[in-house]
Amino acid sequence: SAVISQKPSRDICQRGTSLTIQCQVDSQVTMMFWYRQQPGQSLTLIATANQGSEATYESGFVIDKFPISRPNLTFSTLTVSNMSPEDSSIYLCSVSQTSSREQYFGPGTRLTVT
Amino acid sequence: AQRVTQPEKLLSVFKGAPVELKCNYSYSGSPELFWYVQYSRQRLQLLLRHISRESIKGFTADLNKGETSFHLKKPFAQEEDSAMYYCALIPAGTYKYIFGTGTRLKVLA
C-alpha cells in the first residue's frame, strides 16, 4: 500500500487566480493520477502524471488550465489556473503500481472559488 | 461509450437487513471491476475487485457479463457499513478508472 498526502487540504480562492496542489507519496510509485469530484458528482479523471514527461490529459481537460508536474516517482503537483466558480471541487491524487490495478487515494483538496 | 451506472443515489436499510448496491456497466470488452468505499471523514479505499472473488467485511460482488452488472451484496447490514460506495471499471489495456456516480448507504439502527 501507499500513504498519500495532499496540500493544501482546502482553500478558498478568488476567481482569476491559480492554485497549486501538491501530492506526496511515501514510496516510489509508477503511476499517479489527478481526479476532480464536483459537488454531488462522481470522480472524473483529469490526467495521468508521467514522471519526466508531459502529463496525459483526458478529454475535456487541457494543459493550459491544469498544468501538472511530476519531477520524481513520489511527488506531483496540479495547478488549477485562472480559476472560476465552476472549478470549485474536490481534487484528488491517486497512485498505482503497474503490477496492481488498485489505486490508493489521497485525502483530497477542497477548493472553493469565489 | 464506456460507462458505469449506479442507479441509486441513496439507499437506506435497517440494521440486519440485506443490502444490494447496484452497478451496471457499458463496455464491449472484458472489464476489470472494483468497488471502492469512502467512510465519513476518510479517504476513498478499495473494498473489493471482481478478479479476487473474495468477501471483504461480509460484502461480495459477482460479475454478471450477461447482464453487465457487478452488484455489491451483504446479507446482514451493520451500522458501520454506512458510507459512500463507488463502482469502478478499468477497460482492458489501461490503468484508468471509470467511476460510477456513487451510492450513499445509510444503515439505520
Side-chain angles (χ1 to χ4, degrees):
Chain A
S1 66
V3 178
I4 303 155
S5 60
Q6 285 185 234
K7 287 181 182 179
S9 59
R10 59 176 63 222
D11 207 342
I12 301 173
C13 301
Q14 290 193 337
R15 69 172 68 207
T17 63
S18 298
L19 176 72
T20 296
I21 302 167
Q22 298 179 5
C23 177
Q24 179 75 54
V25 193
D26 68 342
S27 58
Q28 293 187 341
V29 292
T30 313
M31 317 198 72
M32 295 182 80
F33 305 91
W34 287 99
Y35 289 86
R36 180 175 73 182
Q37 186 174 25
Q38 293 180 305
Q41 298 190 28
S42 186
L43 288 81
T44 302
L45 182 63
I46 297 171
T48 303
N50 302 310
Q51 193 257 332
S53 64
E54 206 168 275
T56 305
Y57 289 85
E58 298 301 303
S59 175
F61 297 97
V62 295
I63 187 171
D64 290 345
K65 176 67 176 176
F66 298 101
I68 288 170
S69 77
R70 188 174 172 193
N72 56 52
L73 292 175
T74 64
F75 186 79
S76 177
T77 66
L78 168 75
T79 299
V80 186
S81 302
N82 188 25
M83 287 183 284
S84 67
E86 293 71 37
D87 294 320
S88 296
S89 189
I90 296 173
Y91 292 86
L92 291 152
C93 169
S94 78
V95 304
S96 174
Q97 301 285 19
T98 49
S99 58
S100 166
R101 296 194 166 204
E102 177 177 358
Q103 288 188 18
Y104 299 93
F105 285 83
T109 295
R110 184 180 293 273
L111 170 63
T112 302
V113 184
T114 61
Chain B
Q2 299 161 355
R3 184 182 297 132
V4 175
T5 303
Q6 293 179 250
E8 302 139 330
K9 278 196 168 182
L10 173 65
L11 182 64
S12 296
V13 300
F14 284 102
K15 177 182 171 183
V19 174
E20 182 178 67
L21 294 150
K22 291 184 167 44
C23 172
N24 289 92
Y25 65 90
S26 173
Y27 179 64
S28 57
S30 292
E32 195 165 344
L33 286 148
F34 302 79
W35 276 99
Y36 275 78
V37 60
Q38 188 168 25
Y39 300 102
S40 178
R41 298 189 183 85
Q42 295 188 27
R43 61 189 68 191
L44 197 61
Q45 59 186 286
L46 178 68
L47 180 62
L48 53 79
R49 64 177 77 185
H50 89 271
I51 59 171
S52 59
R53 300 183 66 81
E54 56 193 345
S55 173
I56 303 292
K57 298 185 179 183
F59 285 98
T60 59
D62 291 318
L63 177 60
N64 185 324
K65 290 187 178 180
E67 295 183 359
T68 59
S69 68
F70 187 56
H71 302 328
L72 183 68
K73 299 177 184 179
K74 185 169 182 176
F76 307 104
Q78 300 173 307
E79 289 181 75
E80 54 265 34
D81 296 328
S82 295
M84 194 74 181
Y85 291 81
Y86 293 95
C87 183
L89 172 156
I90 292 185
T94 80
Y95 292 89
K96 301 178 185 178
Y97 280 146
I98 299 169
F99 279 93
T101 49
T103 298
R104 180 168 298 283
L105 174 64
K106 283 190 177 181
V107 181
L108 309 169

